[in-house]
Amino acid sequence: MRYAETGINLEIDLSRGSIDRVESDPRDTELYLGGLGTNAKILWDRVPPEVEPFSPENLLIFGAGLLCGTPATGCNRTIVTTISPQTKLMAFSMMGGFWAPELKYAGYDKVILRGKSPDLVYIWINNDTVEIRDASHLQGKGATETAENLRQELNEPKAQVAAIGLAGENRVYFASIEQGRSSASRQGIGAVMGDKGVKAVVVRGTGDINIAQPAEYLELCHEVLEYIKFRNQNPIPGVMTILQGLGSPQEMATHDEKWHTENFMWGNSRVRRRDFWTEEVKRAWTETMEGMRTRLISCYNCPMKCGATISPPGHPTYMMKCFSKLTYTMAAMSDLDFGLKIAQHATEYGVDGFSTPQVMAFALELYENGILTDDDMPGMPAESEGRFYWLLDRIVRREGIGDVLANGTYWAAKEIGNGAEAYAHNNIKKHEQLPLKLSMLNPVYFLMYATGEKINITQIEGQFPQAPYPKSEHREAFVKDWFQVPDEKFKQYFLDWEPRGENSNPYYPTVQMSCDIVDWQEKMHYIDDALGMCAGLSSFPLKPPYHIHNYPKFISSGTGIDMDEEKLSQAAKRYRTLVRAINIRRGLRRKDDQPPENHWKKRFPELEEELLDTYYKFKGWNREGIPTKESLHDLELDYVSEDFIQRGILADGDDAPAKEPSAEKVQE
Ligand code: SF4
C-alpha cells in the first residue's frame, strides 16, 4: 500500500489523445519525496536540453505535493513544472487553493501532459473517469469565466479548475494558470499550457488518502494548529507589520502599505516615493479596500485567510492575494482603486501579476524616451491608467507592439533595439523581478538573487530576519524561543548582526555565515515544494509552525518512509541539485548567476566573487557553478555526471569544466 501519495500518475498525450495511468516508483519518493522533487526527476529523464519550450516534447507537469490531501494544515500546493519560454530553463511555479488535494482524492499524484492537441480541449478528471473534451466554446474566455462555465456544464459545483485565459492561449511569455483563489504565475507556464491546446484541467475527487501512522500524524497536525493559534496571538515585535505573522503577508487584511509603497520602486522599477504614505492616502486606500473586499478567504485546510474576494463596482468579482494588490497601482503611478480594477481584467486574461505591470511600465518608459513612438502605439490614450488597459489588451491579444511586449522585457528589448535593453534593467535570468532597488549590498540576498533556481526572490527568502535588530536586548529576546533553527550557531549569527559598524552589511553576515543562512532558507523552500506545503506556514515567515525538526516526523508517520533531519536535508539537496543540473544542461553558468546590475547602489565586486566562489564550493559545485562528479555521487546522482561527461559539460575524472563556457548567456 502507498501512504500519503496515491502512487499513480496520469499521463496524457495530447497529440495522440491517449490517457494512461502509470504507477510511480516508490524508490523515487524516498529519493526525491514528491511535488517538485519527482517533477524534476521526470523532467530530467524525459526532456533533454534540445527540447524547446513550445515543442510537443516539452512536458507540463502538475504535481501535487507529497503530503497534499492529508490533514496537515496548509498543505495544498500544486507544483507546475515545464521548460519556460521566458528563461528557457526549468520553471516550477506553485499554486495554492484546492486543486492538489482534489487530484489526490481523485486518485492521482500528478498529471503529466505531453504532445499538442490540434484543437482547444479541456481535461475532465472525475475520479476513475478521465476524458479529453472539446473546449472550442471556451476559446477566448477568461480564466475565471472558464472555471464557472465548466462547473455549470459538468454540473459539478465542487470541481476544481486550473484554467488559462487569453494570454495563455496566445502564448504570452508571462501567462499564468489560474485556479480558484490562487494561480501558478511565474515563468510563462500558462503559455506552455496554451501551446499544448489545453484550456483547463478540471478535477473532482471523492476518494481517500492512506496515512501510515494516523494517530501520530494527527497529533503532529494538532500541535501545528495550536502553534498557529499561538503565533496569531503573538506577532513578532520589532519587524515590519507584514513580517510579524504567518501566512502570505496578509495583504488583503492589512491597510498599512507604508513599507511597500515607500520602499519598493514605482514605474518601471525606477522611482522611490519616500513620503508617499500620508494619513490622507491611508484613509483613501482603506476606504477603497473596504469598499471592494467582500470576504477574506483561505486555501484548502487552512485558517489563515490570506486571500480575498474583490468586487470592484461595475466589474465581476474575482479572488486576489498578496502583493498583486499593489503591482499595477505602483507601475502606473496610480491609486488602489485602479489597481484592484485592472487586476480583475488581468486575472481573467491570466497573466503574472509581477511581470505584467512591469512590462507595461517598461513600454511606457520606452515611449517617453522616444524609443517607441506613436507609430508603435496607434490610438493609445493620453492618460496613464488608460494606457495600462490599452497595453494589457494588446499584449494578451499579441496585437501590434503587444506582440513584442508579450515576450517579456528581456526579449522585447532585444527585438526593439535602439537602446531599449538599458530599460529592461530589472531581470534575473531574463525574468522580471520585484521592483526593489537598494543601497548597500546584502550578502545573503546577493547569493539568493544570484543563485536561486526559482528565479523569484520572494520564494527563496524567509527564516532568518531580513535586517538586524538595532538593540542587543531585542536580539536576545528574539532568539529565546527560536527553536526552528537547524543549529544553535544561527542564533549567534543574529545576535552579532548590527545595523552599522564592523558587524553590518556587506561584510556581515560573513561569507561563510551567508552560505549557511542561504542554504537553510533555500532548503526549507525546497522541502515545502516537494511536500506541497504553503511557504506561508513554513519557509517564508519568521518562526513558522513547520520546520526542519518536525518535518521528518510528518514524513515518517504520513508516508511510512523512515525519515530524519539528515536524510531530509540530503533529499532536498538531491533534487535541488537536480534542478540545477537541468539548467546546467540547458547552458546555465556562473555568468548567469547575477542580480540586476543596479539592484544595489553600492557594489563590492571582490566580495561578490568570493561569495559565489565560497557558495559554489559549499554546494559541491565547481567554479562555473556546475555540480561536481564527486558531489553528484554523494547525492546518488551518478546518472547526472555520466550525462555531463557525455555532453562535455564535465571532463571524466576531473571536476573542472571540460571546456571554456561560451561568452553568450544561457541559450539566446
Ligand atoms: S497560509 Fe494563506 S496562502 Fe498559505 S495555505 Fe493558508 S490561506 Fe493559503
Side-chain angles (χ1 to χ4, degrees):
M1 185 182 286
R2 304 283 280 263
Y3 297 104
E5 59 179 351
T6 68
I8 303 291
N9 293 336
L10 260 185
E11 293 264 3
I12 300 178
D13 188 321
L14 295 149
S15 303
R16 296 168 46 194
S18 63
I19 299 167
D20 295 298
R21 287 166 185 75
V22 179
E23 198 174 333
S24 59
D25 185 346
R27 174 78 182 137
D28 280 347
T29 311
E30 283 185 37
L31 289 172
Y32 309 97
L33 306 179
L36 170 64
T38 38
N39 279 12
K41 177 68 166 62
I42 292 167
L43 208 70
W44 170 273
D45 286 346
R46 291 169 53 183
V47 184
E50 299 74 33
V51 171
E52 292 289 327
F54 292 143
S55 156
E57 308 307 317
N58 190 11
L59 299 180
L60 182 65
I61 309 170
F62 293 76
L66 180 61
L67 300 182
C68 286
T70 71
T73 297
C75 197
N76 49 48
R77 260 44 188 174
T78 309
I79 295 86
V80 191
T81 301
T82 191
I83 300 301
S84 160
Q86 180 77 46
T87 63
K88 310 227 172 185
L89 301 171
M90 175 177 166
F92 53 107
S93 194
M94 267 70 62
M95 55 189 185
F98 294 74
W99 199 91
E102 197 77 20
L103 184 71
K104 296 287 264 301
Y105 300 147
Y108 313 101
D109 297 318
K110 295 187 199 294
V111 178
I112 303 169
L113 304 180
R114 66 174 185 272
K116 286 190 195 198
S117 167
D119 303 304
L120 194 66
V121 295
Y122 74 93
I123 292 157
W124 172 216
I125 303 166
N126 185 11
N127 291 313
D128 288 344
T129 311
V130 183
E131 296 168 69
I132 303 172
R133 290 185 164 196
D134 172 52
S136 53
H137 59 302
L138 299 169
Q139 193 149 16
K141 291 217 183 296
T144 313
E145 194 185 358
T146 296
E148 274 316 305
N149 284 6
L150 284 171
R151 280 196 201 97
Q152 278 178 20
E153 186 177 314
L154 297 164
N155 197 20
E156 283 285 356
K158 289 187 173 166
Q160 299 302 328
V161 184
I164 55 168
L166 197 53
E169 285 184 45
N170 288 333
R171 307 197 306 183
V172 172
Y173 283 12
F174 39 94
S176 59
I177 299 173
E178 298 288 325
Q179 180 257 136
R181 51 127 307 168
S182 191
S183 63
S185 298
R186 300 297 276 164
Q187 300 200 49
I189 55 173
V192 175
M193 186 153 153
D195 182 64
K196 299 209 165 295
V198 176
K199 182 71 180 170
V201 185
V202 190
V203 189
R204 180 73 182 119
T206 54
D208 288 323
I209 293 290
N210 300 309
I211 302 290
Q213 295 162 315
E216 287 84 344
Y217 196 81
L218 282 175
E219 181 54 34
L220 290 166
C221 295
H222 178 70
E223 282 170 17
V224 160
L225 267 178
E226 285 301 307
Y227 184 74
I228 291 173
K229 267 189 225 157
F230 166 80
R231 278 287 277 104
N232 286 345
Q233 286 158 8
N234 294 275
I236 292 179
V239 291
M240 61 200 86
T241 326
I242 61 159
L243 295 179
Q244 291 179 348
L246 297 173
S248 79
Q250 296 302 330
E251 282 294 305
M252 298 304 112
T254 185
H255 294 304
D256 180 3
E257 291 297 356
K258 183 176 170 60
W259 186 72
H260 276 134
T261 55
E262 293 188 351
N263 287 291
F264 286 25
M265 310 296 267
W266 296 59
N268 181 26
S269 322
R270 294 288 190 188
V271 187
R272 197 164 151 194
R273 301 169 87 179
R274 289 171 196 270
D275 303 318
F276 175 80
W277 193 251
T278 60
E279 275 306 309
E280 198 186 324
V281 172
K282 186 178 177 184
R283 228 183 349 264
W285 285 37
T286 303
E287 221 169 85
T288 300
M289 195 62 180
E290 289 192 337
M292 295 194 197
R293 186 189 62 199
T294 31
R295 197 159 62 93
L296 289 173
I297 50 175
S298 271
C299 303
Y300 176 82
N301 189 23
C302 184
M304 291 307 300
K305 294 190 180 164
C306 303
T309 49
I310 306 285
S311 309
H315 298 256
T317 295
Y318 69 104
M319 301 192 215
M320 173 180 261
K321 71 172 168 79
C322 219
F323 187 53
S324 51
K325 170 182 167 189
L326 296 183
T327 52
Y328 292 95
T329 294
M330 291 177 69
M333 302 274 183
S334 185
D335 58 21
L336 191 60
D337 182 82
F338 163 78
L340 295 185
K341 284 177 181 163
I342 196 170
Q344 186 273 325
H345 285 256
T347 304
E348 283 293 6
Y349 283 146
V351 283
D352 176 10
F354 276 75
S355 285
T356 313
Q358 288 202 39
V359 173
M360 297 193 286
F362 155 81
L364 291 173
E365 209 183 8
L366 293 184
Y367 179 71
E368 279 157 15
N369 287 281
I371 295 172
L372 291 177
T373 66
D374 287 332
D375 290 344
D376 300 305
M377 319 288 228
M380 184 172 73
E383 37 76 45
S384 172
E385 294 182 0
R387 287 177 168 181
F388 271 74
Y389 280 105
W390 187 90
L391 281 167
L392 180 59
D393 282 347
R394 265 140 203 89
I395 288 169
V396 299
R397 292 190 164 79
R398 282 193 172 272
E399 279 172 13
I401 192 66
D403 190 32
V404 180
L405 296 171
N407 295 341
T409 57
Y410 175 85
W411 299 105
K414 269 189 156 350
E415 197 174 335
I416 293 165
N418 197 19
E421 282 176 83
Y423 295 84
H425 67 110
N426 199 36
N427 295 334
I428 296 177
K429 301 180 174 89
K430 306 182 178 58
H431 200 41
E432 295 82 17
Q433 300 295 311
L434 265 185
L436 263 175
K437 302 289 172 193
L438 300 167
S439 162
M440 175 57 79
L441 179 102
N442 174 327
V444 171
Y445 274 76
F446 170 82
L447 281 178
M448 289 194 292
Y449 274 117
T451 65
E453 229 81 35
K454 279 193 180 186
I455 318 176
N456 190 5
I457 193 66
T458 51
Q459 292 179 2
I460 307 169
E461 63 192 345
Q463 305 291 309
F464 201 83
Q466 292 184 4
Y469 282 19
K471 291 195 174 149
S472 62
E473 59 262 37
H474 292 156
R475 297 198 285 269
E476 273 155 26
F478 180 87
V479 302
K480 250 185 202 146
D481 62 350
W482 200 11
F483 61 84
Q484 291 86 349
V485 288
D487 189 296
E488 289 296 303
K489 68 184 175 190
F490 288 97
K491 293 185 181 173
Q492 201 57 49
Y493 292 176
F494 182 66
L495 284 170
D496 294 342
W497 194 15
E498 304 267 2
R500 270 169 291 281
E502 213 175 291
N503 277 7
S504 69
N505 290 341
Y507 293 107
Y508 193 96
T510 65
V511 171
Q512 193 55 50
M513 290 174 191
S514 300
C515 292
D516 286 339
I517 294 166
V518 172
D519 186 62
W520 171 30
Q521 301 197 121
E522 185 181 76
K523 177 165 72 183
M524 295 318 298
H525 278 279
Y526 273 73
I527 294 172
D528 289 347
D529 299 346
L531 302 184
M533 183 57 68
C534 170
L537 293 176
S538 176
S539 45
F540 185 75
L542 297 167
K543 302 185 179 175
Y546 294 99
H547 42 81
I548 193 65
H549 308 304
N550 63 2
Y551 260 155
K553 297 177 196 162
F554 269 96
I555 297 171
S556 298
S557 58
T559 66
I561 296 169
D562 182 25
M563 189 60 72
D564 58 31
E565 287 180 29
E566 205 187 315
K567 272 172 77 179
L568 181 55
S569 298
Q570 184 78 345
K573 189 172 179 189
R574 181 177 299 118
Y575 56 81
R576 191 271 173 265
T577 306
L578 191 55
V579 172
R580 179 87 184 171
I582 289 168
N583 289 338
I584 289 290
R585 210 163 62 157
R586 292 191 158 259
L588 180 93
R589 296 290 185 275
R590 183 187 184 107
K591 64 195 173 314
D592 303 299
D593 282 345
Q594 294 296 335
E597 231 166 75
N598 60 358
H599 187 77
W600 294 282
K601 240 187 240 154
K602 293 184 195 145
R603 298 293 291 261
F604 298 80
E606 268 178 38
L607 173 64
E608 292 174 24
E609 287 293 300
E610 192 191 343
L611 278 163
L612 270 191
D613 281 342
T614 314
Y615 189 64
Y616 282 2
K617 207 167 162 200
F618 178 92
K619 290 290 220 192
W621 305 345
N622 70 17
R623 222 190 154 270
E624 274 308 315
I626 303 167
T628 63
K629 196 174 169 204
E630 196 186 353
S631 69
L632 290 166
H633 176 72
D634 290 346
L635 293 167
E636 298 176 66
L637 294 174
D638 296 290
Y639 59 86
V640 171
S641 54
E642 280 159 26
D643 185 274
F644 279 179
I645 288 164
Q646 214 177 10
R647 290 175 187 276
I649 294 169
L650 283 176
D652 197 4
D654 181 357
D655 276 337
K659 50 189 179 193
E660 284 297 306
S662 86
E664 287 300 298
K665 288 197 171 191
V666 56
Q667 291 193 11
E668 295 291 342

